[in-house]
Amino acid sequence: MTKGKIIMIKKHHFIKTFLVLIVTVFFIQLNAQNKIDTASKINRLIKQMTLEEKVHMIHASSSFTSGGVARLGIPELVTSDGPHGVRPEHGRDWKLDNNSLDSGTYLPTGVCLAATWNPQLGYAFGAVLGSEANFRGKNIILGPGINIIRTALNGRNFEYQSEDPYLVSKMVVGYIKGVQDQGVSACVKHFAANNQELRRHIVDVEMSERALREIYLPGFKAAVQDAHVNTLMGSYNRFRGQWASQNYYLLTQILRKEWGFKGLVMSDWDAVNNTMQALWNGLDLEMGTDLHMLPNPDYSKFFMGDTVIALVKNGKVPEHLIDEKVRRILYVMYRTGMINGKRSPGEYNTKKHQQTAARVAEEGIVLLKNSALEGENKLLPLNKNSVKSIAVIGYNAERKQSMGGGSSQVRAFYEITPLAGLQNIAGKNIKITYSQGYEIKRGVTANASLIKQAVEAASEAEVVIIVGGWTHGFNYSVWKDNAYDAEDFDKPDMYMPFGQDELIKAVLKANPKTVVVLMGGGAIDMRQWVDSTPAILEAWYPGLEGGNALAKIIFGEVNPSGKLPMSFPKKLEDEPAHKLGQYPGDSTLHYFDDIYVGYRYYDTYKVDPQFAFGHGLSYTSFAYSNLKITGKGKRAAISFTVKNTGSLMGAEVVQLYVKQEHASLPRPEKELKAFDKIFLQSGESKIVNINLDENAFQYYNDIENKWVMENGIYDILIGSSSRMIRLTGKVKL
Ligand code: BGC
């Protein structure tokens, strides 16, 4: 290259850098100016408001709205559940409106989304929700729910995501950004330590500061600092003696002072118990309805209602405290264009929304087991061209799940059940029969005549597909008929309900070529039949396209790539919450299991789970090689190669776990610190590069009350699950 050319390139480079700098400075200034403008507009509005108007804004005004001030152009805030679809209209008075056009996209539930281990899908999922919320005139979507899965019994695990704080932190960001990029606020919930439904209104959770920081808070912190969530919901339970929705330590010390949260904090519905604490400790908005007051609830009687007006008038509470709350509510309204803004009309029930739901199901359903019967190939995928007949058995094959579960219910535009999906995808040449196999009824055990019918069908068919597991309850229109995977209820135990163990065992005897498909929010006790069942799939609650997604996986049109976002223990007694900790607790609930939640426990205490955290099979195979690790200061750069060595295109979730050797405080055997979902054609390989910073190595030292990273040796474990470590190396930092 000539000297002249080099000078030219340098000149160009200089001009380019200069222009980028000018544009960046311009936008920073514009942003700062906008912030000042918004702040002064908010101040101006507050100055014009009477005390009564301000107080009207800090409590509910109907089942899902809070008060506005029409004369100043401040609208009501309209909220809606929930985390996997916009909830049916409940009017202002909790009456389910059956005439409303509210059948929307029923997305797979949170746990299925987490099982995709695909943060981009988290964004797509959130974007569907945000768009449909806009269409339905909602300002805030009451999701995502991200409480850590601490016990398999928690009735809301299906809405939540994982036992692992890192996985939650990554998935939650995409979801929230997806919602909020549509101009709708997300509401991350339930803050904090709400890890069971049983006694959720009573328990007082005690846990170490270390468990709080390492396990229960990271997802919320990511929601605030990485996703900039606009709103957050406090939970029902108490935390260290104070109700979570009016808890100084959680809402003021951690959320606002440490994390810098600027948005609004609302209570869970009727979760406020004391006006002064709510006012002073960081709550901005009291939501809920005193159901005893129906049909004419008087919202001014709320803790944050008339009492507050009296307190301010009597000089017991300064008005600026109320202004602060109104300011945060207005801040969210400005951010989402509710005042002086243009709102997107949103879209409803589009093909694209349905395709996103399908993709999440296809990537979230987990192939737990796939083995061969003697002398044959692995049972799955089934070959459409050779299978002649299939007996589909089990109530869940036909049951619609969308309206179950409690507040997260969705009226689905349509719902492809597993049976319908299998019929759609199998084509005309395969004979499909259906038998119910078991009943879904309170207190019901095995039904001999249904089992007999199922056994007959199984012995006549070439292959059997049993679809069972959990369900949301009994009669969805009756709240108290909720059970199992439902709000306000925990599961009574981890056993298969309704005599399904007997059914599966009888069917396996009649026809060993049986696939068991489980639905539900997580682990179930499979010990009675797991060894004799050649193929098992976990389908969660896979949304309105779930049946098609499941069938595509069964017939090999989609290669499964979901991985468990939680460990499946063999039996309930193996679970750390039950073995080390307390559940359901008395008035105080001690988390003695501490940081040993999920695989952190199973791996450290050497207890074999039924299926490990991160486990999930594929129809192809992957080889891992060439691990390279370099460390410098507090960072490490890692690379390795993954190759698809099978004959089908597939995706592998590569998981990076870190273990510190010789830490000053006890640490888990391994902890997830990075993952990536890699899509590979047959024969293709990719180099995966991962950079770890000190977050990957530190732990919370609750003697010194701070995060620390110790110098020393760290093991780097690359796995296809927490128990299937494929490459290991060390780095000295
Ligand atoms: C649930 C929340 C929900 C709210 C409104 C509460 O009972 O815990 O998750 O958003 O109701 O329906």
Side-chain angles (χ1 to χ4, degrees), residues 60-74:
S61 57
S62 80
S63 45
F64 285 98
T65 61
S66 61
V69 185
R71 81 176 174 91
L72 296 173
I74 303 172

Side-chain angles (χ1 to χ4, degrees), residues 255-508:
L255 183 65
R256 296 201 198 284
K257 293 195 176 167
E258 291 181 28
W259 298 349
F261 180 63
K262 298 215 165 36
L264 83 86
V265 176
M266 71 179 79
S267 69
D268 201 336
W269 269 229
D270 300 316
V272 177
N273 297 285
N274 179 297
T275 301
M276 276 304 205
Q277 283 185 15
L279 285 179
W280 284 104
N281 292 350
L283 186 77
D284 302 312
L285 176 57
E286 179 185 10
M287 291 302 290
T289 314
D290 188 342
L291 295 178
H292 303 292
M293 289 187 190
L294 286 175
N296 296 309
D298 182 355
Y299 291 94
S300 62
K301 296 282 175 297
F302 267 33
F303 288 93
M304 305 258 277
D306 286 352
T307 314
V308 177
I309 299 176
L311 285 168
V312 174
K313 286 195 170 152
N314 296 338
K316 299 216 168 95
V317 165
E319 192 161 343
H320 68 78
L321 193 62
I322 318 304
D323 291 353
E324 247 339 283
K325 299 177 192 310
V326 173
R327 180 167 289 117
R328 290 198 195 97
I329 295 170
L330 290 172
Y331 166 79
V332 170
M333 288 184 166
Y334 271 102
R335 276 199 82 173
T336 50
M338 286 177 64
I339 304 180
N340 287 351
K342 232 171 85 195
R343 300 200 53 220
S344 143
E347 288 183 318
Y348 208 49
N349 289 323
T350 62
K351 195 89 212 132
K352 210 170 142 222
H353 290 183
Q354 291 150 12
Q355 280 163 351
T356 299
R359 217 139 146 244
V360 174
E362 287 168 6
E363 286 197 32
I365 293 172
V366 182
L367 179 60
L368 293 174
K369 183 176 175 191
N370 192 17
S371 55
L373 295 169
E374 235 181 83
E376 299 196 19
N377 292 333
K378 286 181 179 172
L379 183 51
L380 292 178
L382 299 182
N383 185 340
K384 247 196 208 178
N385 301 321
S386 61
V387 173
K388 300 271 172 307
S389 59
I390 299 176
V392 177
I393 296 170
Y395 204 154
N396 269 355
E398 238 209 343
R399 183 160 170 90
K400 295 196 172 159
Q401 309 279 359
S402 50
M403 278 295 273
S407 61
S408 67
Q409 60 179 196
V410 178
R411 213 193 306 267
F413 187 52
Y414 62 85
E415 182 175 346
I416 309 286
T417 62
L419 179 61
L422 287 163
Q423 284 162 339
N424 289 344
I425 306 297
K428 293 208 169 61
N429 296 334
I430 303 179
K431 182 178 166 218
I432 295 186
T433 60
Y434 171 68
S435 48
Q436 192 182 312
Y438 62 94
E439 270 178 289
I440 294 185
K441 244 193 198 166
R442 203 174 276 281
V444 146
T445 51
N447 179 321
S449 80
L450 288 179
I451 292 184
K452 191 162 166 272
Q453 284 167 25
V455 164
E456 275 165 21
S459 47
E460 280 163 21
E462 198 179 326
V463 180
V464 181
I465 300 174
I466 301 182
V467 188
W470 303 113
T471 180
H472 291 300
F474 312 104
N475 177 354
Y476 298 156
S477 60
V478 182
W479 186 268
K480 65 176 182 333
D481 253 6
N482 272 341
Y484 306 109
D485 285 325
E487 183 179 346
D488 233 358
F489 293 84
D490 279 356
K491 294 158 190 154
D493 51 52
M494 221 179 86
Y495 297 115
M496 298 278 283
F498 318 121
Q500 292 180 74
D501 281 328
E502 284 74 5
L503 170 73
I504 296 176
K505 284 188 291 183
V507 167
L508 277 168

Side-chain angles (χ1 to χ4, degrees), residues 63-64 80-81 87 94 142 156 159 189-190 194 197 200-201 233 236 268-269 407 479 487:
S63 45
F64 285 98
S80 173
D81 290 297
R87 189 175 175 169
W94 288 102
L142 302 172
R156 289 183 91 170
E159 283 183 61
K189 67 189 187 184
H190 308 87
N194 177 196
E197 289 299 285
R200 67 174 173 166
H201 297 275
M233 186 190 293
Y236 285 119
D268 201 336
W269 269 229
S407 61
W479 186 268
E487 183 179 346

